[in-house]
Amino acid sequence: MSKSCVVYAPGTVANLVCGFDILGLCLSDPADKMEVRLLHEKKIIIKSADGYPLPENPEENTAGAPIIEMLREINEEVGFEILIHKHIKPGSGIGSSAASAAGAVVAANHLLGNRFPKSDLLRFAMFGEKVASGVKHADNVAPCIYGGITLIRSISPLDVIPLDAPDLFVTIVHPQIEVRTADARAVLRQNVQLKSAIRQWGNIAGLVAGICNKDPDLIGRSLEDVIIEPIRSQLIPGFAEVKEKCRQAGALGGGISGSGPSIFMLSKNEQTAKDVAAVMQNIYHNLGIDFYTYMSQINKEGVKVVSN
Amino acid sequence: MSKSCVVYAPGTVANLVCGFDILGLCLSDPADKMEVRLLHEKKIIIKSADGYPLPENPEENTAGAPIIEMLREINEEVGFEILIHKHIKPGSGIGSSAASAAGAVVAANHLLGNRFPKSDLLRFAMFGEKVASGVKHADNVAPCIYGGITLIRSISPLDVIPLDAPDLFVTIVHPQIEVRTADARAVLRQNVQLKSAIRQWGNIAGLVAGICNKDPDLIGRSLEDVIIEPIRSQLIPGFAEVKEKCRQAGALGGGISGSGPSIFMLSKNEQTAKDVAAVMQNIYHNLGIDFYTYMSQINKEGVKVVSN
């Protein structure tokens, strides 16, 4: 019987309001379940446990491409069979493709005796994002692998700094509309006013200081995006109402998750996070738009390995 | 005999590289010495101890205007006589006017029994900056009053966050050239590329995380300004050489202090800070430009009151 394990690969929130392209956080729920088995031949088999159509060619698969990169760096006759229970909906804006990529490399590394550090796993997982969106970005794979809140200080050279996350709760609403990442990118302006950029980086500095010093009120005051959100939020019906009423219900603040359509809100405690979920549900119920909501603490662990 | 005190009001570095308009730090040296005496009449007398010409009308004086604002909020027949030993050269870019403003309000508050919190003193001191430069900015008065490193998250409403500064050394070179603040403002572009802004806020986030987590290497990696410095540094002869050779001598990094012409460099220890000073001296000696250098630890205390 060959070695195998089960991993839970969680959803993630990228583009943390003012932290566009640099800050992301890891959720506890939803998470994909992945059953991964070590093979003694150079072969990658990927299967869907629940009918989501997956590309059979590993090179075209968000879980397969990172494994190919990992196997390039070890000179052994090994491979993996990966069965994916997809609980994070593709197109939700909470890192579905990143979870497949991160889960696959963490599981494979576990079965190989943890020979790669997280920085290498991140590097491999980014190839999954390239398959998914054409861009080898780390916005979601970084928080998925490291857990907590991650700062991507620089893309080239890659410099990822895991921050010690505060004990906050995250509520997500995923309205069932499609926001194509390409559209979300296309609406952005290439130039911004210097005075807006300064306001944005004041808020980013406040947000990072609030995270590092575990100051929820500073985090709340800093959750303001004067550059991206005013444009992108127009692609998400109900956004302004969600933001306003969730704050009234006690949320510290929040914004678009990734490039949408999901919206996230941070709260100091579980009861507020539940109240916030009720507010979100009510708004999309009234708008006649189907939705999912999720509530969880910031996940400080990232992908979790559960041995068989 | 009426009450009096002596305060030391230190120089400050505003526009901390990528933290343009939001981050500043407090120096230990140079510092103005101010002798302040409580008067029992509504009168403000300001004198120069060393021949620097000062406006006699308190409304036009950087130390006087903040005191006027403070006195507006107390209904008493009191005033102050202030004798200023000006050790921070006006026009140096290390907060000369801020030191006068901050020193005056801290001293006056001390003589009044410390009835105002630092946030009020900051608010008063900003009127001194308005006298000096026409703009009521907090970039220098905030670190001068709070000490350490201060983040100005927002100007309106004013939200200043004192950060717990790491034990770093600061070396300053003040080349004897004139950079008018108005010129330094005029060369800035009103619009910036979004991709440059993102790179800048990645660095700001890294810098704040490095400060909060006391990680000198992360601070060093984050001391990069892709927006302001490439333009403003052209007003300062020798800038590129200073930056490159100081890094080679072991400095973590640095940049323009305020709007120049002073340049500052951060170092992990005193010996490196001294080596950096020698590098700076050598460069301006060779350029035939007169200069001053200063070396000090980050001053965590700010304006220091020494009772008579």
Side-chain angles (χ1 to χ4, degrees):
Chain A
M1 187 66 191
S2 62
K3 279 171 71 182
S4 68
C5 69
V6 171
V7 297
Y8 288 92
T12 44
V13 174
N15 296 338
L16 226 53
V17 191
C18 48
F20 179 72
D21 264 8
I22 64 163
L23 283 173
L25 66 74
C26 190
L27 302 169
S28 303
D29 182 56
D32 289 348
K33 180 180 173 184
M34 299 166 79
E35 301 177 57
V36 182
R37 194 159 61 89
L38 183 67
L39 305 177
H40 295 287
E41 54 180 323
K42 280 213 167 174
K43 195 173 180 184
I44 300 167
I45 304 165
I46 295 166
K47 293 180 182 169
S48 168
D50 36 22
Y52 274 105
L54 293 176
E56 287 193 5
N57 180 351
E59 287 177 27
E60 296 166 11
N61 185 291
T62 54
I67 298 291
I68 291 171
E69 294 300 320
M70 179 185 271
L71 291 181
R72 266 192 227 287
E73 299 192 10
I74 55 175
N75 192 20
E76 283 171 49
E77 285 294 311
V78 293
F80 298 93
E81 184 184 79
I82 303 173
L83 178 66
I84 303 179
H85 303 256
K86 198 76 196 153
H87 300 147
I88 309 169
K89 310 225 173 318
S92 55
I94 49 172
S96 178
S97 58
S100 296
V105 294
V106 170
N109 191 45
H110 174 77
L111 295 174
L112 291 171
N114 287 314
R115 59 180 87 177
F116 293 104
K118 285 184 174 178
S119 55
D120 282 335
L121 301 184
L122 173 62
R123 187 164 52 81
F124 300 142
M126 289 167 72
F127 284 89
E129 293 292 53
K130 189 169 185 190
V131 168
S133 70
V135 182
K136 229 172 71 178
H137 69 90
D139 299 8
N140 295 91
V141 282
C144 196
I145 287 174
Y146 285 94
I149 297 178
T150 51
L151 163 63
I152 300 166
R153 186 192 65 81
S154 162
I155 290 288
S156 175
L158 185 64
D159 188 8
V160 173
I161 298 125
L163 303 176
D164 190 17
D167 293 318
L168 297 178
F169 289 79
V170 195
T171 316
I172 302 269
V173 63
H174 173 200
Q176 299 297 293
I177 56 166
E178 189 184 3
V179 173
R180 286 160 34 119
T181 304
D183 291 345
R185 290 230 152 245
V187 294
L188 296 182
R189 299 192 184 107
Q190 294 307 303
N191 288 290
V192 298
Q193 285 195 304
L194 178 59
K195 67 178 182 183
S196 300
I198 291 168
R199 183 156 168 177
Q200 190 90 346
W201 67 56
N203 279 317
I204 289 163
L207 181 54
V208 171
I211 291 166
C212 291
N213 296 337
K214 309 235 184 321
D215 179 341
D217 295 321
L218 175 55
I219 291 172
R221 295 201 302 283
S222 305
L223 285 171
E224 178 192 61
D225 172 4
V226 297
I227 291 180
I228 311 297
E229 181 184 290
I231 301 170
R232 281 198 171 167
S233 63
Q234 294 171 27
L235 302 172
I236 306 171
F239 179 85
E241 191 181 356
V242 166
K243 200 173 142 185
E244 189 190 341
K245 291 194 172 161
C246 289
R247 286 233 192 208
Q248 286 168 2
L252 293 169
I256 302 167
S257 177
S259 56
S262 287
I263 304 169
F264 80 100
M265 285 286 151
L266 297 179
S267 298
K268 280 189 209 179
N269 57 59
E270 189 167 10
Q271 185 55 52
T272 306
K274 283 181 182 168
D275 295 346
V276 164
V279 166
M280 291 168 165
Q281 288 157 3
N282 192 42
I283 289 168
Y284 284 104
H285 180 79
N286 288 342
L287 285 171
I289 295 172
D290 289 340
F291 59 87
Y292 297 94
T293 52
Y294 306 97
M295 202 202 75
S296 63
Q297 272 194 288
I298 294 179
N299 173 352
K300 300 187 184 186
E301 190 179 7
V303 179
K304 185 187 180 107
V305 179
V306 186
S307 289
N308 258 11
Chain B
M1 187 65 191
S2 63
K3 279 171 72 182
S4 68
C5 68
V6 171
V7 297
Y8 287 91
T12 44
V13 174
N15 297 336
L16 226 52
V17 192
C18 48
F20 180 72
D21 262 11
I22 64 164
L23 282 173
L25 67 75
C26 190
L27 301 169
S28 303
D29 181 56
D32 289 348
K33 179 180 173 183
M34 299 167 79
E35 301 177 57
V36 183
R37 195 159 61 89
L38 184 66
L39 307 176
H40 295 287
E41 55 181 321
K42 281 213 167 175
K43 196 173 180 183
I44 300 168
I45 304 164
I46 294 166
K47 293 180 182 168
S48 168
D50 35 23
Y52 274 106
L54 293 175
E56 288 194 4
N57 180 352
E59 288 176 27
E60 297 166 11
N61 185 291
T62 53
I67 299 291
I68 292 171
E69 293 301 318
M70 178 186 272
L71 292 180
R72 268 192 226 286
E73 300 192 12
I74 56 176
N75 194 20
E76 284 171 50
E77 285 295 310
V78 293
F80 299 93
E81 185 185 82
I82 303 174
L83 178 66
I84 303 179
H85 302 256
K86 198 74 194 151
H87 300 149
I88 308 171
K89 313 229 172 315
S92 54
I94 50 172
S96 177
S97 59
S100 296
V105 294
V106 170
N109 191 45
H110 174 79
L111 295 174
L112 291 170
N114 287 313
R115 59 180 87 178
F116 293 103
K118 285 185 174 177
S119 55
D120 281 337
L121 300 183
L122 174 62
R123 188 163 52 80
F124 301 143
M126 288 167 73
F127 284 90
E129 293 293 53
K130 190 170 184 189
V131 167
S133 70
V135 182
K136 229 173 72 180
H137 69 92
D139 299 7
N140 294 92
V141 283
C144 196
I145 288 174
Y146 286 93
I149 297 177
T150 52
L151 162 64
I152 301 165
R153 187 192 65 81
S154 161
I155 290 287
S156 175
L158 186 63
D159 188 8
V160 173
I161 298 125
L163 302 177
D164 191 15
D167 293 318
L168 296 179
F169 289 79
V170 196
T171 315
I172 303 268
V173 62
H174 172 201
Q176 298 298 292
I177 56 166
E178 189 184 4
V179 173
R180 286 160 35 119
T181 304
D183 291 343
R185 291 230 152 245
V187 293
L188 296 183
R189 300 193 182 104
Q190 294 308 301
N191 289 290
V192 298
Q193 284 195 304
L194 177 60
K195 67 179 182 181
S196 300
I198 291 168
R199 183 155 168 178
Q200 190 92 344
W201 64 56
N203 279 318
I204 289 163
L207 181 54
V208 172
I211 291 166
C212 291
N213 296 338
K214 309 231 183 324
D215 179 341
D217 296 321
L218 176 55
I219 290 172
R221 296 201 302 281
S222 305
L223 284 172
E224 177 193 61
D225 171 3
V226 297
I227 292 181
I228 310 299
E229 183 184 289
I231 301 170
R232 280 197 171 169
S233 63
Q234 295 170 28
L235 302 173
I236 306 171
F239 179 85
E241 192 182 354
V242 167
K243 200 174 143 186
E244 188 190 340
K245 291 193 173 161
C246 289
R247 286 234 192 206
Q248 285 167 3
L252 294 169
I256 302 167
S257 178
S259 56
S262 287
I263 304 170
F264 80 99
M265 285 285 150
L266 297 180
S267 298
K268 281 189 206 180
N269 58 59
E270 191 168 9
Q271 185 55 52
T272 306
K274 282 180 183 169
D275 295 344
V276 164
V279 166
M280 292 166 163
Q281 288 158 2
N282 192 42
I283 289 169
Y284 284 104
H285 179 79
N286 289 342
L287 285 172
I289 296 173
D290 287 341
F291 59 87
Y292 296 94
T293 52
Y294 305 98
M295 204 204 73
S296 64
Q297 271 194 288
I298 295 179
N299 173 352
K300 300 187 183 187
E301 190 179 7
V303 179
K304 185 188 182 104
V305 179
V306 186
S307 289
N308 260 9

